[in-house]
Amino acid sequence: STVAPEPVTEIKSQLKCRGQVIQSTKKVTYVISIKELGYRPEPYAVVDALMYSDDKATVEITNMSIRFTGATRESLQATWDAQGSDAVASPSNSQLSTQTHSQRAAKRPIYDFDSIRSFAIGNPSDAFGDRYKVFDEERRIARLPGPPYQFLDRVTEISNCEPWVLDSGGVIEAQYDVPVDEWYFAQNRQGDMPFSVLLEIALQPCGWLAAYLGSALTSETDLRFRNLGGSAVQFMPVTPDAGTLSIDVTISRVSNAGGMVIQNFDMAVRSSKGLVYQGDTYFGFFSADALANQVGIREAIPYAPTDDELTRAKTFPYPTDAPYPGEMLRMVDEVSCFVADGGPAGLGFIRGRMTVKPDAWFFKAHFYQDPVIPGSLGLESILQLLKVVAVE
């Protein structure tokens, strides 16, 4: 059948013209922000477009649409297959979770590794453009983790959101290629990926999406980015043969009050074997003053060992041999109190300690210009204490 490009008839668009292109104009620039991309079943796209005459915005079109009547996803795929192309069409939101792993892995990046690395440890404007130029030198912006704690390689899908528009509903797909010989496999000494790394793989695309939406521009004061909590389930281990992991992230809620921005995200990590990790989390943007005045978790009442338990407790340096982690990943220096039959239920009590070293590698990696121990490594320390309980 004949394929014809046409507007999407039920979508209303708007055009504004506030300038012209004349003989003295040196350069015309067109900027397109993709809002929707998918199949109905015909391929379609909805975009906002801006035209600049030199550096002045002169034409704006909102909700500009196009569809290819007479075509389907299958017919386009057949055309690409016949041409030997490795391109894969971009799906709608509902199709992200149903794509095969090979379809996900074949997609070209919208934001590549170099762009993400620039945002982590370089110039933010190299990652996101001139709107973030002020953060190259004059101001500081919340960054992504850098090496060796960067676990985000590319962003391959963006839908339902625009850059610099801080709102809920935006969806991205990100990817991370698991190196078969990466440092954390050797350091974990168990043949699989440490939980702290898997957690970062799920969380780092949330930070990227927050930056893409222009969160730092909501305040004239520099803001820090901190994880506040969440809930999730791990469904399978990640081993060195995992290949490419795909991460789907949706920003589900945004609130802005009192100089603080709170953002909620849904996240899912998938491999060629299926769903690996899924849950939700929330982050906050805070000023330095707000972080300095934190009061902690007020309702927390830690268990206090009895005098009898303290008398029977073991104290020893944290073990250094397998199956315990290697030095780089080790987040406990000492088991300061272990009672196998202690605690409120009589099933065991353990307490550990770590001396904070200002020159530790993770301060350099997390975050650039805002060093703080990753929360994921804090959770790793608790799991490492549980390994002692399991072995004992």
Side-chain angles (χ1 to χ4, degrees), residues 11-302:
I11 294 179
K12 182 179 179 181
S13 62
Q14 186 177 41
L15 169 66
K16 295 180 182 178
C17 298
R18 299 294 186 270
Q20 55 188 344
V21 177
I22 57 178
Q23 288 179 316
S24 60
T25 304
K26 299 186 183 309
K27 180 175 65 175
V28 177
T29 304
Y30 304 91
V31 179
I32 294 176
S33 300
I34 299 174
K35 301 171 70 174
E36 294 184 37
L37 202 61
Y39 299 87
R40 303 160 49 96
E42 74 279 3
Y44 83 101
V46 181
V47 307
D48 290 341
L50 272 175
M51 189 188 85
Y52 291 83
S53 299
D54 291 327
D55 294 323
K56 182 179 181 181
T58 55
V59 178
E60 179 185 33
I61 308 174
T62 57
N63 291 333
M64 185 177 184
S65 67
I66 188 172
R67 61 176 174 171
F68 289 89
T69 56
T72 64
R73 182 188 185 99
E74 291 73 23
S75 66
L76 289 184
Q77 188 66 57
T79 301
W80 292 323
D81 290 344
Q83 294 175 351
S85 170
D86 63 352
V88 176
S90 299
S92 63
N93 295 346
S94 62
Q95 292 169 319
L96 275 177
S97 62
T98 61
Q99 292 181 84
T100 66
H101 186 73
S102 60
Q103 285 176 319
R104 287 172 175 263
K107 283 184 282 195
R108 296 188 177 98
I110 301 173
Y111 287 81
D112 60 13
F113 179 84
D114 290 339
S115 168
I116 294 166
R117 179 63 60 87
S118 293
F119 184 64
I121 60 175
N123 291 327
S125 66
D126 291 339
F128 292 109
D130 289 346
R131 291 287 293 273
Y132 273 175
K133 193 77 173 177
V134 67
F135 297 106
D136 289 351
E137 296 181 3
E138 299 173 41
R139 293 182 58 188
R140 294 188 176 184
I141 190 173
R143 304 293 192 119
L144 288 176
Y149 217 55
Q150 177 184 332
F151 306 123
L152 174 59
D153 288 333
R154 69 192 71 88
V155 175
T156 53
E157 294 291 343
I158 304 172
S159 61
N160 285 353
C161 61
E162 301 177 50
W164 322 121
V165 179
L166 185 55
D167 200 358
S168 60
V171 181
I172 66 169
E173 180 195 71
Q175 293 183 339
Y176 172 64
D177 300 326
V178 179
V180 296
D181 57 352
E182 188 66 320
W183 66 269
Y184 47 73
F185 286 120
Q187 288 290 311
N188 201 37
R189 291 174 170 169
Q190 291 192 185
D192 63 345
M193 176 184 288
F195 173 73
S196 54
V197 174
L198 175 59
L199 181 57
E200 287 290 328
I201 290 171
L203 294 181
Q204 289 182 16
C206 300
W208 185 94
L209 179 54
Y212 176 81
L213 297 175
S215 301
L217 300 176
T218 61
S219 173
E220 295 182 358
T221 302
D222 292 349
L223 300 176
R224 317 289 177 91
F225 195 51
R226 297 290 187 266
N227 186 258
L228 300 175
S231 60
V233 177
Q234 182 176 348
F235 295 94
M236 66 176 74
V238 178
T239 52
D241 62 351
T244 298
L245 298 179
S246 296
I247 309 97
D248 298 333
V249 168
T250 301
I251 182 166
S252 57
R253 183 180 178 186
V254 176
S255 60
N256 191 341
M260 296 180 290
V261 181
I262 308 298
Q263 300 174 350
N264 294 67
F265 299 88
D266 296 327
M267 56 195 183
V269 180
R270 293 178 172 85
S271 73
S272 59
K273 298 178 182 179
L275 184 61
V276 175
Y277 188 69
Q278 185 175 38
D280 56 78
T281 187
Y282 59 111
F283 286 83
F285 284 88
F286 306 97
S287 67
D289 289 342
L291 290 177
N293 294 320
Q294 292 181 102
V295 299
I297 301 177
R298 302 182 213 193
E299 65 271 20
I301 303 176

